[in-house]
Amino acid sequence: MGDQDVCRQLLPRAIFGINGKVENGVRQHPVTGSIIFALGNKIGIADYKKNTQEFVAGHTNTISCLDLSKSGKYMASGQINHMGFRGYVIIWDYDQRKEIARHDLHKVSVQAICFTAQDRCVVSIGGVDDGSVIVFDMEAFSPICQTPASRAISGNALTVRPLHNNPYFFVTAGDRHLRLWSILREEKKLYVQDVLMASKTRVFYCARINKTDEFAYLGTGTGDIVKIVLNCCDRDHVSKQGSTSCILGAFGTHNPRKPTGRDCNRYVNGVRALYVLEGGRLLIGAGNGDIELVEERTDVPLINFRDYPGPTWPYLRTLKKTHVSGRISSFVRSKTDMFYICTDTNEIYGLNIKTWVLKLLRTCHTKSVYCITFPKNYSGVFATSGKECIRIWSSGRKQELLRIMVYNFNCACVRFTHDGTSIVSVWNDGIIRAFTPITGRLIYAIPNAHNKGCSALAVASSGRLIVTGGIEGQVRVWKIDPYRQDLVGVLKDHSGPITSLDINYLDTEVISACTDGSCVIWDIKRMTRKQVVTANTQFMSASYFPTGVQVITCGSDGRIIYWMVYNGALIRELTASKKSSVNCLAINETGDYFITVGSDLQVKLWDYNSGAVVGIGSEHASSVISCAYSPCMTMFVTGSTDGSLIIWDVPRDFWGRPNPPDVTKYSLPKTSSKTRMSDVPSRVNSGTNLKTPKGENIDGLLKATPKDDLCCVECPPCAKKDTKGVDPYAECGIVPDVRKC
């Protein structure tokens, strides 16, 4: 083996991933400008200028909260754990990327965390099962006090916010909960004072304090902004003697077109993010994706609203407004006029508040990535399938190019036709959908393809034959013509969901892997079963060797098995993992190397002939369930359950042989006459002798998509109408001709 005896560390070329559901879970380093975010059980540090990313690992479960100190020296993070287990709080050194302290005093989960001013303390609040406030001293590197966060008559604390100038004060807010705290470090205890709300009851989702620590602004679930005066004093009395922290009012935006009493607008789905700007302006993010720049009205004194008929006063004036997809979860100020906006759909936008230009910067899947595929002999783009969408990515630009949306359904598998003219996909609603590769237009849809939903897909090299697998265990073969799609045959042998399908290079056989512990090799020309291989496992993936003489499978027992095609004999067994399952595998074009991914978060590169691991990558933060090898064999892509995608570089020594083995090639006989064969009309026009249309092809997607741009297309409904005489394509609004697609 020589150099291949040493197992190398696989390096990622690009990482697409972020957990946008963590409230205030995106931070920017004040010195380096790197973006810090949570992804699964790891903390990601991304430098967008150098286009590099790295991860810090240490948590045992999903990170629920994250904060960065003002100096940029430390990071703090908390996690959510299973019921009955402790939730860890970890303090990190940013420069060394190492853990320096941790405690497990919270039960089950940590709701929110923050650094106080001057990096003196770390304040964390527990979740529903804990309900306590814990102060961690950064000088002694140990917790100094713990106390219940709320009273018995109020709800749980949801967020915590420190003051800018005093390192011993912080504010907690939540469900009917708003309190001002002071830390007595020497006495190791906390003083607390409830903020007077004047009979107003709110659920607070976010809080911000102005630079002078005089006022605090809180976003509520009812869609208004609550402004309070803090009146902070010394640590012993919390607030000034003879005064207390109290509410000034609950504010909404003013609508001048409506009469008094009905001129107050609230934000839909509550106010989820806030940022206090200079001059009393506020940047507000709502639960429905609305972003507004507002300011307090100066034409009407605040005291005039005491007799206003509603509980929310129209005291805010809207200056600018825009909209993004998803709920706003974080505002990060990158520059004076530049903000990063993170949403729960795992997208990061850039907003210039001066020119009010919104730009989509980073995207990734919101849920699991079920399938990854490359076009035939083209490594410039690849497609992924997930919740409600199919996404086309550029491997060179490292960005998303096209998104095809089908709401409320999940795409189980996606494939490109070999000529690159269409994208074929199967969905859990039992419908097969095909789209154009540039505009994402629906070409055809086959409803009721499987009774309980589709789960696997394979496309023949001709593009006129596709094979699908269903959750009910059936394998169905379809013939695709320009004007119609017909069911050729139904293959029944499995008793569980089909997990994967693969067609050999001759388009004569297909292998189906199933969770019932069997893999069946079918003859799709005669519609019969050829071989059955069984093992004590749930097969997750099966793939043909490029020459079609062997198949390789992986399953839930962590084993990789080689099988002979002609008699179904077992050739070799490899143990990829002793504790977890192997979820997917992919072989390169020459068959020299293959990759496996599993629930142990590891990505492994194997030598096919020797059965040795030659490379390992461990950048994923959750179970890896999909992978695909690029046709150029210099990279591969993996996807995980948290929606992240990683493009890995293959070491040059493991690219495979430069001259792959020759395979049988078929060519049409040459005619003796000067007339071309394509000009000779056929007796029966079945659609297979049509010329390749000068329409959309996947190799033109990069040229058709501008840099840093994204095309999002919504798929029309595919339900058939019973009305006779109505154009069946009128509902989709497309031209039912493949030649024009």
Side-chain angles (χ1 to χ4, degrees):
M1 292 293 294
D3 297 337
Q4 298 182 8
D5 290 334
V6 180
C7 184
R8 298 190 183 182
Q9 185 70 27
L10 299 177
L11 300 178
R13 179 185 299 183
I15 301 175
F16 307 94
I18 186 175
N19 187 3
K21 298 176 179 60
V22 178
E23 300 295 337
N24 298 316
V26 178
R27 294 286 188 269
Q28 186 178 32
H29 197 271
V31 180
T32 62
S34 300
I35 298 297
I36 302 168
F37 56 90
L39 180 62
N41 59 0
K42 296 182 181 180
I43 299 176
I45 303 174
D47 189 347
Y48 291 155
K49 297 179 181 178
K50 300 179 181 179
N51 203 8
T52 60
Q53 289 186 355
E54 57 182 317
F55 287 94
V56 181
H59 283 283
T60 59
N61 212 319
T62 305
I63 295 176
S64 58
C65 54
L66 175 68
D67 195 26
L68 177 70
S69 63
K70 287 189 175 181
S71 63
K73 295 181 179 179
Y74 306 106
M75 297 184 297
S77 58
Q79 74 174 50
I80 184 172
N81 215 336
H82 300 289
M83 187 65 66
F85 294 87
R86 295 283 180 172
Y88 290 103
V89 172
I90 302 180
I91 315 298
W92 311 84
D93 186 288
Y94 177 82
D95 296 329
Q96 299 180 1
R97 308 290 200 268
K98 292 183 179 179
E99 173 188 336
I100 56 178
R102 75 161 61 196
H103 70 79
D104 58 351
L105 300 179
H106 288 291
K107 299 177 182 178
V108 184
S109 66
V110 184
Q111 180 67 33
I113 197 169
C114 73
F115 282 93
T116 60
Q118 303 173 13
D119 302 348
R120 293 288 182 86
C121 302
V122 176
V123 181
S124 59
I125 57 177
V128 178
D129 302 289
D130 183 69
S132 62
V133 174
I134 297 177
V135 179
F136 185 90
D137 189 8
M138 291 297 294
E139 295 181 3
F141 283 103
S142 64
I144 58 175
C145 55
Q146 179 179 7
T147 185
S150 60
R151 298 182 299 168
I153 61 174
S154 61
N156 301 305
L158 300 178
T159 184
V160 58
R161 178 63 56 181
L163 271 64
H164 293 281
N165 304 314
N166 197 322
Y168 299 105
F169 280 84
F170 63 93
V171 176
T172 59
D175 183 7
R176 295 160 294 150
H177 172 105
L178 184 56
R179 312 183 89 181
L180 179 63
W181 302 75
S182 65
I183 304 171
L184 276 69
R185 183 175 178 273
E186 296 79 10
E187 301 178 12
K188 295 185 177 180
K189 65 179 182 180
L190 296 171
Y191 282 162
V192 62
Q193 185 182 79
D194 290 304
V195 179
L196 298 180
M197 291 297 295
S199 71
K200 285 185 172 58
T201 302
R202 294 289 190 275
V203 178
F204 301 103
Y205 289 128
C206 56
R208 287 283 181 177
I209 301 173
N210 63 349
K211 296 295 184 181
T212 60
D213 294 339
E214 184 179 0
F215 300 105
Y217 298 87
L218 300 104
T220 68
T222 54
D224 49 14
I225 310 296
V226 171
K227 183 179 181 181
I228 63 172
V229 57
L230 296 177
N231 289 327
C232 294
C233 185
D234 55 77
R235 288 179 288 171
D236 296 331
H237 300 92
V238 183
S239 61
K240 298 177 182 179
Q241 295 184 1
S243 63
T244 183
S245 302
C246 62
I247 185 175
L248 294 180
F251 305 148
T253 56
H254 175 60
N255 188 352
R257 297 183 178 182
K258 291 186 178 181
T260 303
R262 292 187 296 173
D263 56 345
C264 183
N265 294 336
R266 299 182 184 89
Y267 294 95
V268 181
N269 297 335
V271 177
R272 299 291 182 156
L274 271 175
Y275 200 93
V276 182
L277 301 172
E278 296 79 8
R281 296 181 301 167
L282 297 175
L283 188 63
I284 300 174
N288 65 337
D290 288 338
I291 302 172
E292 289 189 1
L293 182 65
V294 301
E295 66 177 359
E296 297 182 6
R297 295 173 61 185
T298 57
D299 56 341
V300 181
L302 185 61
I303 195 173
N304 291 1
F305 290 102
R306 289 187 175 181
D307 298 331
Y308 192 79
T312 303
W313 301 342
Y315 193 61
L316 300 177
R317 180 187 294 110
T318 302
L319 302 178
K320 297 176 181 179
K321 183 177 181 180
T322 187
H323 182 82
V324 298
S325 63
R327 171 175 56 87
I328 311 296
S329 61
S330 299
F331 280 142
V332 181
R333 193 167 195 173
S334 174
K335 299 178 182 178
T336 304
D337 298 330
M338 190 67 184
F339 277 83
Y340 290 139
I341 302 170
C342 182
T343 67
D344 66 340
T345 56
N346 298 350
E347 296 176 343
I348 297 180
Y349 295 83
L351 177 63
N352 191 316
I353 61 174
K354 187 175 182 180
T355 60
W356 205 249
V357 175
L358 184 69
K359 187 177 181 181
L360 181 61
L361 302 178
R362 291 292 183 271
T363 63
C364 73
H365 281 273
T366 58
K367 295 288 185 180
S368 300
V369 182
Y370 299 116
C371 180
I372 305 173
T373 184
F374 278 90
K376 182 68 173 178
N377 299 328
Y378 184 57
S379 302
V381 298
F382 61 93
T384 60
S385 65
K387 179 184 178 183
E388 300 182 341
C389 67
I390 298 172
R391 306 191 186 205
I392 313 298
W393 307 78
S394 170
S395 55
R397 297 182 188 175
K398 303 179 180 62
Q399 71 174 47
E400 184 181 353
L401 302 176
L402 175 65
R403 186 184 307 174
I404 303 171
M405 303 293 298
V406 180
Y407 294 107
N408 302 322
F409 299 108
N410 299 334
C411 181
C413 190
V414 61
R415 291 286 184 266
F416 290 98
T417 55
H418 283 218
D419 57 1
T421 56
S422 65
I423 304 170
V424 186
S425 60
V426 291
W427 300 74
N428 64 346
D429 60 348
I431 299 179
I432 303 171
R433 295 178 174 91
F435 304 94
T436 55
I438 297 180
T439 59
R441 212 156 42 94
L442 181 66
I443 301 176
Y444 64 84
I446 306 175
N448 304 318
H450 289 271
N451 297 332
K452 297 182 179 180
C454 305
S455 58
L457 170 68
V459 180
S461 59
S462 62
R464 300 300 183 187
L465 196 72
I466 64 174
V467 184
T468 60
I471 299 177
E472 77 283 352
Q474 294 183 3
V475 177
R476 299 189 176 186
V477 184
W478 305 84
K479 182 181 178 182
I480 307 301
D481 286 330
Y483 302 102
R484 60 183 297 172
Q485 301 83 38
D486 296 322
L487 177 63
V488 178
V490 179
L491 307 174
K492 301 179 181 180
D493 191 78
H494 294 291
S495 60
I498 307 297
T499 54
S500 76
L501 292 170
D502 192 26
I503 299 179
N504 66 349
Y505 75 100
L506 294 175
D507 294 343
T508 58
E509 297 176 356
V510 61
I511 182 170
S512 59
C514 183
T515 57
D516 61 358
S518 66
C519 288
V520 180
I521 300 175
W522 307 90
D523 188 333
I524 55 178
K525 296 295 183 182
R526 297 182 299 170
M527 293 298 163
T528 58
R529 186 184 69 185
K530 296 185 68 175
Q531 293 292 339
V532 180
V533 296
T534 59
N536 189 18
T537 182
Q538 293 182 352
F539 286 109
M540 305 303 295
S541 181
S543 180
Y544 272 101
F545 190 77
T547 58
V549 297
Q550 295 179 2
V551 293
I552 183 171
T553 62
C554 64
S556 59
D557 59 351
R559 293 183 301 166
I560 302 170
I561 307 177
Y562 296 46
W563 308 87
M564 188 61 68
V565 171
Y566 80 94
N567 62 354
L570 189 147
I571 303 174
R572 172 188 284 171
E573 253 187 45
L574 303 175
T575 302
S577 177
K578 296 181 179 180
K579 296 182 179 180
S580 60
S581 65
V582 180
N583 298 323
C584 189
L585 60 85
I587 308 177
N588 66 353
E589 294 288 331
T590 61
D592 295 328
Y593 300 95
F594 67 94
I595 54 174
T596 60
V597 296
S599 300
D600 56 356
L601 315 186
Q602 288 188 345
V603 177
K604 295 183 180 180
L605 177 64
W606 301 74
D607 186 286
Y608 188 91
N609 295 324
S610 66
V613 180
V614 296
I616 294 180
S618 56
E619 296 293 335
H620 277 286
S622 61
S623 298
V624 194
I625 60 174
S626 57
C627 63
Y629 227 114
S630 68
C632 64
M633 299 183 294
T634 61
M635 65 179 180
F636 60 88
V637 185
T638 57
S640 61
T641 56
D642 58 7
S644 63
L645 291 169
I646 299 182
I647 303 177
W648 304 84
D649 280 322
V650 179
R652 190 176 184 86
D653 297 338
F654 309 133
W655 283 4
R657 293 190 298 270
N659 296 322
D662 294 331
V663 296
T664 306
K665 295 182 180 180
Y666 296 94
S667 59
L668 294 174
K670 296 182 180 180
T671 57
S672 57
S673 62
K674 297 182 180 180
T675 308
R676 298 179 181 178
M677 281 195 64
S678 58
D679 297 334
V680 178
S682 176
R683 292 183 179 181
V684 180
N685 187 354
S686 61
T688 57
N689 60 345
L690 295 175
K691 294 182 180 180
T692 303
K694 295 182 179 180
E696 297 184 17
N697 198 291
I698 189 61
D699 56 6
L701 180 59
L702 283 174
K703 296 180 181 179
T705 306
K707 191 175 181 180
D708 296 331
D709 194 10
L710 169 65
C711 177
C712 185
V713 181
E714 296 183 7
C715 178
C718 300
K720 291 186 176 181
K721 296 183 178 180
D722 297 334
T723 306
K724 296 182 179 180
V726 179
D727 185 8
Y729 299 98
E731 186 176 284
C732 295
I734 65 171
V735 179
D737 190 351
V738 178
R739 290 173 294 180
K740 296 183 180 181
C741 291

